[in-house]
Amino acid sequence: MGVLMSRRQTVEQVQKVSLAVSAFKDGLRERPSTKRKAEAWGGRRGTLEHEVREVQEEEEERPEAAGPSQTQREESHANRAAWERLRDGRGVEPEEFDRANRFTPPAFVRPTRELHDDEPLEISLEQREQVSSDEMCEICEVWTAESLFPCRVCTRVYHDGCLRRMGFLHNSSAVEVTETAHTETGWSCYYCDNLNLLLTEEEMYSLMETFQQCKIIPETCLMQDRFLRYKHLAHQRHLDRPMSEEQEERAALQFSALDPDKKGHVEWPDFLSHESIVLLQKLRPQNSLLRLLTAKERERARATFLPLNQDGQGLISEGECRKAQHTWFRKHQKEAPSCNVSISHVGPMSESSPASSGSSQSQEKTLLGTEQEESRLVDWPTFLKENVIYILAARPNSAAIHLKPLA
């Protein structure tokens, strides 16, 4: 595997190596006798080896009649491996990470809100941003001749082999990453793919409290009736009043958007991302949400707004603004027809169905609101504020639409 480095990078590397060699030579002059340090390390190593042998002997001396369970054997193996890592001075290998029941990747620190993050944020329409991806793999931090996969949200890049070793890329998703990472659709890294990582500790605590009170079990799929029941309970808990028919219809359509393959249930990662973005929409002001956008997302927003601004006055119609809210989910082009069919694709709906009872009313509201949308003009700052939540919701790689725009 070759290493590609520019002349400037080569000079910097040589300077770093020279400094390291000089520091090493200085350390050789000042450190104590190597023999004494070797004896001390040998003593410590011998003590550790002795303790490891004692643990192994105790396990071997246990009577087989007791019949240790599978769980006990696994715990014993884990303890022995931990002692061996301590003896050899090794850390936990990436493939040894236990990611069961984890909401965040290892060693991830949740963000904190700044004191004045709700103040207005000026994002220029004319001043474009030069965005370039990192040169080194986020995991191994090495320049290589292999193809690096850039994230379409942030500037991180990755080797597919590094993603596999860390457990973030499986055989089922490897083809998708290879085919989409270098296209206009793009691919989101494991940080940007998880919308739950946008929540602060306080916001995450609030979400988990809601899950517990509504009896939601983490890492489980949700059927449609369970999803709608949760929406009713959460709405009643936060607003102390039942959901309206229009809200019930919207919840049913949201379930359909979260289940693009029509499996009849919503996967846990999609449900968690949906609830995370809904919580952000409720708790954060739009100015605070604007600060979450990356340079790549701001550039895509400019690329969407500028063609609509044909007269050059910086104004577009409200209808065009609403249509733009659907364009952020362009990664779902193939799934879009099935996703827009709503839940009526399985056959005739009963009149008591929430989607059926409000369908005619929603169509009338759409027709009545068309003229108002065409008459209202939207400028660039308003366009950003009304689209920011959907830009964030479109980050995950999943085919699910985690926040369905209003019709």
Side-chain angles (χ1 to χ4, degrees):
M1 181 172 61
V3 178
L4 299 180
M5 299 176 63
S6 65
R7 179 176 297 178
R8 178 180 59 82
Q9 293 168 346
T10 304
V11 173
E12 292 177 353
Q13 290 294 100
V14 170
Q15 291 175 346
K16 291 179 181 178
V17 171
S18 300
L19 291 174
V21 171
S22 300
F24 179 75
K25 290 180 178 179
D26 294 339
L28 287 177
R29 301 189 191 98
E30 297 174 2
R31 71 176 184 175
S33 172
T34 305
K35 182 178 180 181
R36 289 199 302 271
K37 292 193 68 176
E39 291 176 353
W41 165 245
R44 289 197 298 269
R45 183 180 177 89
T47 304
L48 288 175
E49 290 179 348
H50 177 69
E51 293 178 356
V52 172
R53 284 198 299 270
E54 285 185 351
V55 172
Q56 294 176 353
E57 289 174 359
E58 290 178 0
E59 293 173 354
E60 293 174 357
E61 291 175 359
R62 291 176 183 172
E64 297 182 359
S69 63
Q70 180 67 22
T71 304
Q72 293 175 336
R73 287 196 295 270
E74 291 177 355
E75 292 179 353
S76 173
H77 176 74
N79 292 337
R80 184 184 304 177
W83 274 108
E84 291 175 352
R85 284 196 301 270
L86 179 62
R87 179 195 64 190
D88 299 333
R90 295 187 294 109
V92 180
E93 298 297 330
E95 56 270 16
E96 294 174 351
F97 281 129
D98 181 13
R99 292 187 177 83
N101 300 322
R102 280 185 181 268
F103 285 108
T104 61
F108 181 85
V109 179
R110 288 194 172 273
T112 57
R113 291 189 59 182
E114 300 295 334
L115 184 60
H116 304 292
D117 71 344
D118 57 346
E119 294 182 354
L121 177 66
E122 182 179 355
I123 300 177
S124 174
L125 174 62
E126 293 77 15
Q127 186 177 357
R128 308 300 293 267
E129 300 178 64
Q130 298 296 329
V131 184
S132 60
S133 297
D134 298 340
E135 296 181 354
M136 295 190 301
C137 172
E138 176 70 14
I139 297 175
C140 67
E141 298 184 350
V142 170
W143 293 279
T144 68
E146 298 180 20
S147 177
L148 291 169
F149 297 109
C151 175
R152 64 188 178 93
V153 178
C154 63
T155 60
R156 301 182 184 95
V157 294
Y158 300 86
H159 295 122
D160 59 341
C162 294
L163 291 173
R164 290 178 189 274
R165 284 191 291 272
M166 291 297 292
F168 293 115
L169 184 63
H170 306 284
N171 293 331
S172 58
S173 57
V175 177
E176 177 186 358
V177 173
T178 304
E179 292 179 350
T180 63
H182 296 285
T183 64
E184 184 181 359
T185 300
W187 162 82
S188 296
C189 69
Y190 54 87
Y191 284 109
C192 301
D193 180 63
N194 189 352
L195 296 180
N196 183 254
L197 301 184
L198 296 175
L199 302 184
T200 62
E201 291 287 351
E202 295 78 11
E203 291 166 341
M204 187 59 198
Y205 177 81
S206 174
L207 182 60
M208 293 305 300
E209 188 178 22
T210 302
F211 286 169
Q212 292 173 359
Q213 293 187 1
C214 297
K215 300 186 182 342
I216 293 295
I217 303 175
E219 304 294 336
T220 58
C221 300
L222 275 77
M223 306 296 288
Q224 183 173 8
D225 57 345
R226 186 71 185 91
F227 178 85
L228 296 177
R229 192 181 310 119
Y230 164 79
K231 286 293 186 182
H232 276 279
L233 293 174
H235 188 274
Q236 183 73 33
R237 175 177 178 268
H238 290 295
L239 301 178
D240 198 22
R241 64 172 182 269
M243 294 176 65
S244 63
E245 293 183 0
E246 182 180 358
Q247 291 170 330
E248 289 180 358
E249 178 188 1
R250 195 178 304 165
L253 292 174
Q254 180 62 67
F255 177 86
S256 180
L258 289 172
D259 181 26
D261 297 329
K262 307 306 173 188
K263 298 179 181 178
H265 66 265
V266 174
E267 300 290 342
W268 170 255
D270 293 325
F271 174 74
L272 181 62
S273 288
H274 164 68
E275 287 301 314
S276 299
I277 200 69
V278 168
L279 186 63
L280 284 176
Q281 189 179 30
K282 289 179 180 178
L283 299 183
R284 303 260 191 115
Q286 291 176 325
N287 289 324
S288 177
L289 294 176
L290 287 175
R291 300 179 190 277
L292 299 178
L293 295 179
T294 64
K296 290 183 179 181
E297 290 173 323
R298 292 192 295 269
E299 274 299 296
R300 279 197 293 271
R302 293 186 181 97
T304 302
F305 184 87
L306 287 173
L308 301 176
N309 179 31
Q310 297 181 357
D311 56 2
Q313 297 182 359
L315 297 172
I316 64 174
S317 67
E318 184 178 5
E320 291 173 327
C321 180
R322 288 189 177 275
K323 289 178 183 177
Q325 294 174 356
H326 296 265
T327 63
W328 311 118
F329 302 96
R330 63 180 182 270
K331 58 180 180 175
H332 310 297
Q333 286 177 349
K334 295 181 179 180
E335 294 83 4
S338 61
C339 196
N340 292 334
V341 172
S342 81
I343 60 175
S344 62
H345 73 288
V346 296
M349 290 186 298
S350 63
E351 296 181 359
S352 60
S353 169
S356 175
S357 62
S359 59
S360 59
Q361 298 177 5
S362 60
Q363 290 177 1
E364 293 177 0
K365 292 179 180 178
T366 303
L367 294 175
L368 292 174
T370 303
E371 296 181 358
Q372 298 177 356
E373 289 181 358
E374 295 298 332
S375 61
R376 175 176 172 258
L377 296 178
V378 177
D379 59 5
W380 165 244
T382 306
F383 173 84
L384 271 181
K385 290 180 180 179
E386 294 185 0
N387 280 268
V388 60
I389 194 67
Y390 300 105
I391 298 175
L392 296 174
R395 285 184 176 183
N397 297 308
S398 168
I401 297 180
H402 297 92
L403 188 64
K404 185 174 177 62
L406 299 175

